[in-house]
Amino acid sequence: MSAPILIAGAGIGGLSAAIALAREGFDVKVFERASEIREVGAGLQVGPNGIRAFEKLGVAQEIREIAFRPEAIVLMDSPSGTEICRQELTQSFLDRFGHPYQVAFRADVQGVLLEAARGYSDRIEFHLGNGVRKLEQDQERVVVQLDDGSSATGASLIGADGLWSEVRSFVVGDGRPRVSGHIAYRAVLAADQVPVDILTDNVQVWVGPRHHLVCYKLRGGELFNIVAIFHSSRYLEGWDKEADLAELRSGFADACDRVQRLLDHVQAWRMWVLCDRDPVQHWTEGRVTLLGDAAHPMLPYLAQGACMAVEDSVCLAALLAETPADIASAFFAYENARFPRTSSVQLAAREMGVANHLDGEARERRNVALAARNPRDHESNAWLFETDGPRPALSGQGFFGRVR
Ligand SMILES: Cc1cc2nc3c(=O)[nH]c(=O)nc-3n(C[C@H](O)[C@H](O)[C@H](O)COP(=O)(O)OP(=O)(O)OC[C@H]3O[C@@H](n4cnc5c(N)ncnc54)[C@H](O)[C@@H]3O)c2cc1C
């Protein structure tokens, strides 16, 4: 039997990679630092490209069953409370991309992936509560040192260990992630607790000076996901921490009454200091490579970080299956195949953050330009939703296109 492929991390990226590799016939050992495989209680938007990647993992139907299908993405001007523009997600979207736009509770997505991985119990072995601390490699193998002091040997290692990746420090060594100056407060409410004039079957994005808020239904409409993002001078890394309500109120001081009332309804916020990195061209070293946030962490404004991790997994497994005896070449080909796209998405997400938070005349110009858009014209999304490639030089960056 050949040596297994080791994976550090069992987030959406690590689980997807394990499934993709098992489907190609590889044996996999997954090491997860946390003692259980658990996602944060929050929502996840999955564009048609993500659904296509889930299809290649054999779980698209299961994802469809746990997801909610919003009717449109609606951009609202947060200070005035008026609609700026909308992108329809119904028939014209389906006709254009062949797959719907879906939103789901993260824990449910992770549950689907875990169940699929368990279906390959002859190939995938999980080791929980035992993270990867150090690694060494030679021409034939990789040896990792684990949290409990033991070691494991594999044919290769995939670092799917997220934003604060330790595997990355061995492969890229570019220090800590970049603190963006934006902070996210997240909450999930029972839908019947949400004020009726806010509850919607759309993904609503309220944009205002130095803040924006995204909300949508989850789980067949039972739950309502809210993400409030605003500028903050907090530079200490924070992840899934309790929130500071005074800071939130001050971040949304310019928002209209509807947004303020929604914020007031939430009892328990969790807080994230948002970080990303500049794209780097090389995230592979011999038999070790990175995947998902470990390779290309991005701001969440295109809602694509998890989708990119699933796409990475499908691409990596397919290339490894082509040259299983030459892992270093397969990893190099994977990095080359993915970099143009993932770097585009990283940079486009940053641009989207700037466009969302405009103030004064720039905000007025943005609103006028976007109001002229046709809700059924999906061309600015084609590179992201339809291709596996990068953003073409002059196309839009996301749902509502490039705004200058
Ligand atoms: C506010 C917000 C909203 C978002 N919304 C969306 C969205 O709508 N759509 C979308 O596609 N993306 C979205 N994203 C991005 C998405 O959450 C991430 O890109 C995605 O979760 C990355 O998955 P991952 O598996 O690469 O990393 P992670 O989910 O971070 O998983 C890494 C795993 O590795 C484990 N680990 C860490 N270190 C080690 C180690 N040394 N050894 C072993 N295990 C280790 C961790 O415990 C964790 O389980 C959003 C992000 C944020 C912050």
Side-chain angles (χ1 to χ4, degrees), residues 372-388:
R373 287 181 185 259
N374 176 351
R376 284 183 286 278
D377 178 355
H378 304 295
E379 289 320 302
S380 65
N381 305 133
W383 71 275
L384 189 56
F385 290 163
E386 193 177 45
T387 78
D388 293 327

Side-chain angles (χ1 to χ4, degrees), residues 19-308:
I19 298 165
L21 290 164
R23 283 169 73 83
E24 296 288 0
F26 293 100
D27 291 328
V28 180
K29 284 189 182 178
V30 183
F31 295 92
E32 165 58 52
R33 176 158 287 154
S35 56
E36 58 175 323
I37 296 182
R38 195 165 55 95
E39 255 293 348
V40 294
L44 195 71
Q45 303 180 53
V46 185
N49 59 312
I51 304 289
R52 224 170 40 240
F54 279 132
E55 204 166 50
K56 292 187 180 142
L57 296 185
V59 297
Q61 180 55 32
E62 289 78 357
I63 295 288
R64 212 165 278 139
E65 282 164 16
I66 53 111
F68 182 79
R69 271 172 68 171
E71 291 173 2
I73 297 193
V74 180
L75 200 65
M76 303 289 295
D77 185 57
S78 160
S80 66
T82 54
E83 180 173 323
I84 301 171
C85 65
R86 65 175 56 212
Q87 180 92 32
E88 287 185 6
L89 300 176
T90 45
Q91 200 56 49
S92 64
F93 188 89
L94 260 181
D95 290 346
R96 182 68 182 81
F97 298 118
H99 291 285
Y101 196 90
Q102 302 185 346
V103 292
F105 198 46
R106 276 167 183 264
D108 296 346
V109 173
Q110 194 158 42
V112 165
L113 293 175
L114 201 49
E115 193 56 34
R118 288 197 179 117
Y120 294 98
S121 56
D122 53 334
R123 297 208 179 282
I124 304 175
E125 207 177 282
F126 284 102
H127 299 263
L128 303 184
N130 213 3
V132 169
R133 277 181 181 280
K134 285 189 181 160
L135 61 101
E136 282 175 4
Q137 62 172 318
D138 59 26
Q139 296 299 313
E140 279 162 22
R141 59 191 192 142
V142 179
V143 180
V144 295
Q145 303 298 325
L146 300 165
D147 290 338
D148 70 358
S150 65
S151 63
T153 302
S156 60
L157 170 67
I158 298 168
D161 49 344
L163 174 67
W164 301 96
S165 171
E166 287 180 42
V167 178
R168 185 181 177 107
S169 64
F170 291 94
V171 177
V172 184
D174 56 351
R176 299 164 77 77
R178 184 191 74 110
V179 176
S180 67
H182 296 181
I183 195 163
Y185 280 25
R186 290 162 120 178
V188 176
L189 296 182
D192 59 13
Q193 287 172 22
V194 178
V196 284
D197 57 343
I198 285 266
L199 196 62
T200 168
D201 285 344
N202 302 321
V203 173
Q204 264 188 356
V205 185
W206 297 77
V207 294
R210 294 169 299 285
H211 72 255
H212 76 279
L213 181 139
V214 182
C215 51
Y216 49 84
K217 283 183 181 171
L218 300 170
R219 270 208 186 141
E222 266 173 52
L223 302 176
F224 197 65
N225 181 63
I226 308 167
V227 187
I229 290 172
F230 54 98
H231 290 205
S232 162
S233 55
R234 256 203 238 214
Y235 286 100
L236 279 182
E237 74 212 42
W239 189 86
D240 201 13
K241 296 251 163 40
E242 274 184 35
D244 171 347
L245 291 186
E247 183 187 37
L248 174 68
R249 292 229 168 77
S250 132
F252 280 79
D254 292 333
C256 66
D257 176 60
R258 274 158 83 190
V259 170
Q260 304 267 3
R261 275 189 291 115
L262 176 63
L263 298 178
D264 287 344
H265 261 74
V266 180
Q267 305 290 324
W269 291 101
R270 306 297 291 175
M271 179 280 282
W272 276 253
V273 171
L274 296 178
C275 300
D276 69 354
R277 287 184 186 273
D278 291 333
V280 293
Q281 179 115 34
H282 299 297
W283 63 65
T284 291
E285 183 67 50
R287 291 169 171 268
V288 183
T289 195
L290 304 175
L291 181 147
D293 278 6
H296 40 67
M298 57 189 67
L299 297 176
Y301 308 141
L302 284 190
Q304 279 288 333
C307 295
M308 288 298 120

